[in-house]
Amino acid sequence: MSRGINKVILIGNLGDDPDVRFTGQGAAVANLSLATSEAWKDKNTGQQQEKTEWHRVVIFGKLAEIAQQYLNKGSKVYIEGKLQTRKWQDKDGQDRYTTEVVVDPFNGQLQMLDSAGGGNSGDARAAQQAEAYHYQPRQTNGYAEASAGGSNRQAPAQHSTQASTQAQGGEYDEFDQDIPF
């Protein structure tokens, strides 16, 4: 029996700086407003047309902290998450519903597509590391392990050692050089 798939992939630009708050347990939660646009030529008039959609994105955990540190208004990002609708009440007690893309630490992904933090980042090396940092389950001997954990992440210095070992004909395969952990 199939349960279905709930997966959203967006590439777009931030409409504002990330709004980051912290839960009572200290976990970061970032709210983003993401614009995606499409353009086409109208067949009847020959005019160029454009349509922009705005998406609410909620990011949890370490990725929220990274978003706060490296993303700003106008940053181009790749977001992978799931669609979720939540119910809440407004000031008048009316039930309201909000549908948003949720990027959680286990199945979500955030990648910066701009140059180091949209050009406002002071430390280009740190921004480069954050740009490649994302959560995605990895398969190891048939078992999935979350790449967000500290035990299977490599330090950035080890990453460059991997790349140089591979360039010298080492044991690493070509896809490993882009993974910072």
Side-chain angles (χ1 to χ4, degrees), residues 46-80:
Q47 298 281 340
Q48 188 74 11
Q49 302 290 321
E50 185 174 0
K51 180 180 178 182
T52 301
E53 290 287 335
W54 288 93
H55 311 273
R56 291 178 171 267
V57 179
V58 181
I59 304 174
F60 292 94
K62 183 69 175 167
L63 281 181
E65 295 173 23
I66 290 171
Q68 179 183 31
Q69 189 172 5
Y70 296 106
L71 297 180
N72 50 38
K73 182 177 180 176
S75 295
K76 184 178 245 2
V77 294
Y78 170 92
I79 298 283
E80 191 172 307

Side-chain angles (χ1 to χ4, degrees), residues 8-63:
V8 177
I9 297 174
L10 298 171
I11 296 177
N13 296 80
L14 296 185
D16 206 355
D17 290 343
D19 176 26
V20 179
R21 298 177 187 199
F22 293 86
T23 66
Q25 294 82 21
V29 180
N31 291 296
L32 308 178
S33 180
L34 186 71
T36 57
S37 298
E38 58 182 315
W40 69 93
K41 194 173 198 176
D42 189 308
K43 292 180 181 179
N44 298 327
T45 64
Q47 298 281 340
Q48 188 74 11
Q49 302 290 321
E50 185 174 0
K51 180 180 178 182
T52 301
E53 290 287 335
W54 288 93
H55 311 273
R56 291 178 171 267
V57 179
V58 181
I59 304 174
F60 292 94
K62 183 69 175 167
L63 281 181

Side-chain angles (χ1 to χ4, degrees), residues 57-130:
V57 179
V58 181
I59 304 174
F60 292 94
K62 183 69 175 167
L63 281 181
E65 295 173 23
I66 290 171
Q68 179 183 31
Q69 189 172 5
Y70 296 106
L71 297 180
N72 50 38
K73 182 177 180 176
S75 295
K76 184 178 245 2
V77 294
Y78 170 92
I79 298 283
E80 191 172 307
K82 61 184 175 183
L83 207 56
Q84 192 169 332
T85 302
R86 62 182 171 87
K87 180 180 173 181
W88 56 281
Q89 289 187 344
D90 64 10
K91 295 176 188 173
D92 301 328
Q94 297 288 341
D95 287 345
R96 302 285 184 176
Y97 297 89
T98 301
T99 300
E100 49 203 9
V101 176
V102 175
V103 180
D104 63 43
F106 302 107
N107 299 317
Q109 188 171 342
L110 164 69
Q111 290 183 351
M112 292 185 287
L113 301 178
D114 287 347
S115 60
N120 290 349
S121 176
D123 185 1
R125 183 173 170 214
Q128 211 172 23
Q129 292 166 3

